Amino acid sequence: MIKNIISWDIGGTKCAAGVVEYDQNTQEFTCRQRFSINIEETSSLEDLIRQLEKGLEFSMPAADAICIGAAGQYNGESLIYEGVYPYPMHFAKVAKNQNWPLYAVVHDYTPIVCATFTSYMDNAQNIKQLNSAPFNHYGRRVALGLGTGLGMKDGALLSSGDVWLGKNEIGHIGITAPPHADSERQKQHAELISFLQANHQPVTFEKILSGPGMTRLYEFFYPNQEKLTPEQVSEKIREGLATEMYSAFAWYLGILIGTIQLIFMPEGGIWITGGVALKHLPLFDSPDFLAGIKASPAYQTQREEYPLGVLCNPEHALIGGGYYAVNQLMTAFKH
């Protein structure tokens, strides 16, 4: 028996959607069709839906279920992300008017962590492994996303086949003072914190480890240069014209990874994705990234046993949305 799920992945910049097939006999998920569009190219939620349906060649009411992984907070009626979405995201109203099937609007990294419960993880082409630790299928794991914002979700697959999902807001955690660093790094860290405070920015990891965060780091390291967009900063990095800033970004990402390891001790690993991460895969090979992880030296030997990798296949969020729909909405079909 095949069930069709429409899975959304909506962020601050673009919205991707896919038609995910679930085969009840094999319990496999396949993304049959996918489509994406920049949100700024649409005029309303209704218009966004029309364009997604056209691109997918599949209507929302025709699906067996819909899972919407979205940046922001859903209050049961509308999706709220102040200053980001250009129009009201009143999903409950639209779902009722358009006669949608079962649907859920969930934290945007819920589908990411759900994808790690599927056979997606068995294909080496889907993952850039950052260490040699074996994958623990039943271990608690963390999905970390670097994009327009900074997102995270942890979860675990239970032996019963059920899943447990945590509730986290990692982007709002204050930037950790490195427990161990040389005097030059310590000095640079103090100057960066002062820079962020002087510019009235909340001193959180999201303010430096995101697309807009890259622009802040660029402004800090190159104060006499013109202000750039995240895309322009990425181009500077590719041209080798922002090496100091790139080094700091890799180091702070390593510090965040080390912090998450100590908080969660994730035996199932930390799995990284998001637009910024996938555009800059070389940063994970940087010595600065590894140095940032090791700046938190406690339990280092134990932490090296936890898998660490980057989820590279752009379908992972859509596959994970299909998994969430089957296991949380269509419970009669999950086993």
Side-chain angles (χ1 to χ4, degrees), residues 130-131 142-146 150-152 170 173 176 205 209 249-266 269-273 277 283-284 288-298 300 303-304 306-310:
L130 303 181
N131 65 12
V142 170
L144 175 67
L146 283 72
L150 181 66
M152 195 202 84
I170 192 73
I173 290 180
T176 307
F205 273 114
L209 296 180
F249 188 93
W251 190 66
Y252 277 106
L253 178 56
I255 289 176
L256 177 60
I257 294 296
T259 301
I260 292 172
Q261 286 177 334
L262 286 170
I263 293 172
F264 293 95
M265 300 303 271
I270 296 177
W271 305 100
I272 308 164
T273 190
L283 76 84
F284 297 104
D288 297 292
F289 174 66
L290 183 60
I293 295 175
K294 292 186 175 181
S296 299
Q300 188 68 49
R303 287 157 50 202
E304 288 175 352
Y306 304 152
L308 182 63
V310 184

Side-chain angles (χ1 to χ4, degrees), residues 20 31 41 82 93 96 116 139 146 265 272 290-291 297 319 333:
V20 176
C31 188
E41 297 176 11
E82 189 172 346
K93 176 181 176 182
K96 181 178 180 180
T116 69
L146 283 72
M265 300 303 271
I272 308 164
L290 183 60
I319 293 290
F333 298 96

Side-chain angles (χ1 to χ4, degrees), residues 3-10 15-20 32-37 42 44-69 87 89-105 318 325 329-330:
K3 293 294 179 179
N4 291 300
I5 299 139
I6 296 184
S7 183
W8 294 39
D9 179 23
I10 180 169
C15 178
V19 179
V20 176
R32 190 178 52 130
Q33 179 79 301
R34 63 186 175 94
F35 175 76
S36 67
I37 188 170
T42 62
S44 65
L45 178 57
E46 289 83 353
D47 182 41
L48 173 61
I49 292 167
R50 281 193 294 270
Q51 297 203 45
L52 291 179
E53 290 179 327
K54 181 179 178 181
L56 294 174
E57 300 179 342
F58 203 97
S59 71
M60 300 294 162
D64 293 293
I66 299 171
C67 179
I68 300 166
Y87 43 74
M89 293 289 191
H90 41 259
F91 280 102
K93 176 181 176 182
V94 168
K96 181 178 180 180
N97 290 343
Q98 297 187 2
N99 195 30
W100 280 14
L102 293 168
Y103 77 96
V105 181
L318 304 178
L329 298 178
M330 305 162 61

Side-chain angles (χ1 to χ4, degrees), residues 4-248:
N4 291 300
I5 299 139
I6 296 184
S7 183
W8 294 39
D9 179 23
I10 180 169
T13 304
K14 71 175 185 177
C15 178
V19 179
V20 176
E21 290 185 347
Y22 173 67
D23 187 323
Q24 188 183 0
N25 294 324
T26 64
Q27 298 185 24
E28 289 292 313
F29 295 85
T30 305
C31 188
R32 190 178 52 130
Q33 179 79 301
R34 63 186 175 94
F35 175 76
S36 67
I37 188 170
N38 288 333
I39 294 175
E40 64 182 15
E41 297 176 11
T42 62
S43 59
S44 65
L45 178 57
E46 289 83 353
D47 182 41
L48 173 61
I49 292 167
R50 281 193 294 270
Q51 297 203 45
L52 291 179
E53 290 179 327
K54 181 179 178 181
L56 294 174
E57 300 179 342
F58 203 97
S59 71
M60 300 294 162
D64 293 293
I66 299 171
C67 179
I68 300 166
Q73 294 184 333
Y74 185 63
N75 62 11
E77 295 290 333
S78 297
L79 180 63
I80 310 299
Y81 197 173
E82 189 172 346
V84 174
Y85 295 132
Y87 43 74
M89 293 289 191
H90 41 259
F91 280 102
K93 176 181 176 182
V94 168
K96 181 178 180 180
N97 290 343
Q98 297 187 2
N99 195 30
W100 280 14
L102 293 168
Y103 77 96
V105 181
V106 299
H107 186 281
D108 51 344
Y109 279 90
T110 293
I112 303 298
V113 78
C114 283
T116 69
F117 303 139
T118 73
S119 60
Y120 174 98
M121 302 298 287
D122 299 331
N123 188 340
Q125 293 182 339
N126 291 335
I127 302 169
K128 176 181 174 66
Q129 292 281 1
L130 303 181
N131 65 12
S132 58
F135 180 53
N136 181 343
H137 199 57
Y138 292 102
R140 186 181 190 181
R141 79 284 312 271
V142 170
L144 175 67
L146 283 72
T148 304
L150 181 66
M152 195 202 84
K153 175 68 69 174
D154 72 319
L157 178 64
L158 308 180
S159 58
S160 65
D162 294 325
V163 300
W164 174 87
L165 297 169
K167 296 182 179 180
N168 326 104
E169 290 295 342
I170 192 73
H172 301 288
I173 290 180
I175 298 173
T176 307
H180 179 76
D182 59 34
S183 58
E184 183 177 348
R185 286 285 195 191
Q186 294 281 10
K187 181 175 180 292
Q188 184 183 92
H189 175 77
E191 291 173 350
L192 175 61
I193 298 301
S194 295
F195 168 80
L196 292 173
Q197 291 172 333
N199 286 273
H200 309 290
Q201 295 289 347
V203 185
T204 66
F205 273 114
E206 188 172 73
K207 295 303 178 182
I208 57 172
L209 296 180
S210 63
M214 280 189 158
T215 67
R216 295 185 185 94
L217 280 179
Y218 188 87
E219 184 180 350
F220 169 71
F221 281 102
Y222 315 106
N224 297 322
Q225 301 290 323
E226 62 179 334
K227 291 188 176 182
L228 303 179
T229 65
E231 292 75 20
Q232 290 170 326
V233 172
S234 292
E235 187 61 31
K236 291 285 187 183
I237 291 170
R238 284 189 287 270
E239 294 172 355
L241 300 176
T243 54
E244 193 175 11
M245 168 261 163
Y246 196 53
S247 169

